[in-house]
Amino acid sequence: MQEHNAPASGTDPLVGALHSAVAGELRHVRAMIEELAEVLVGDEHFVDRYLDKLQAFDLLVQSTEESAAVLDRLAAGACTHTAIAPVRLGQIHERLHTALKAAH
């Protein structure tokens, strides 16, 4: 019987499927954030009051897409460093590298 809380390993045949599924969930979150941002941008009073905060929506959308893309690359069999190399958002790129260094 397989242990459900065993550490992740490269031998788990479901890891790729799970990475793909989580990437899909992140893209779903991204779509909901985009929809919310569209509604809020349509509210003139909100825009007048919180214009400086609207950029946060763009950052959230970009962050979820970058994270989903990393998971897609891992699901396709890329090694961890190859999976994070194309990340364009500097803060995410640095945090991912830091996490890998800490785990090493």
Side-chain angles (χ1 to χ4, degrees):
M1 182 167 172
Q2 187 175 10
E3 187 74 29
H4 290 289
N5 58 357
S9 76
T11 60
D12 186 342
L14 300 176
V15 168
L18 181 58
H19 284 150
S20 290
V22 173
E25 289 300 317
L26 286 170
R27 288 193 173 96
H28 179 71
V29 169
R30 182 200 69 211
M32 290 188 319
I33 292 168
E34 287 175 326
E35 288 175 18
L36 176 59
E38 285 180 27
V39 169
L40 294 175
V41 168
D43 182 333
E44 184 180 323
H45 297 291
F46 182 87
V47 173
D48 287 343
R49 190 167 181 175
Y50 299 106
L51 181 61
D52 58 325
K53 303 294 182 188
L54 289 175
Q55 288 182 331
F57 284 102
D58 186 49
L59 183 58
L60 289 168
V61 166
Q62 289 180 48
S63 296
T64 54
E65 182 54 40
E66 290 280 22
S67 298
V70 169
L71 288 169
D72 282 339
R73 289 188 287 274
L74 289 170
C79 74
T80 54
H81 291 287
T82 300
I84 65 174
V87 172
R88 296 173 303 237
L89 291 174
Q91 291 176 341
I92 292 175
H93 196 265
E94 187 58 36
R95 285 193 301 264
L96 293 174
H97 273 290
T98 300
L100 291 180
K101 287 178 187 175
H104 206 352

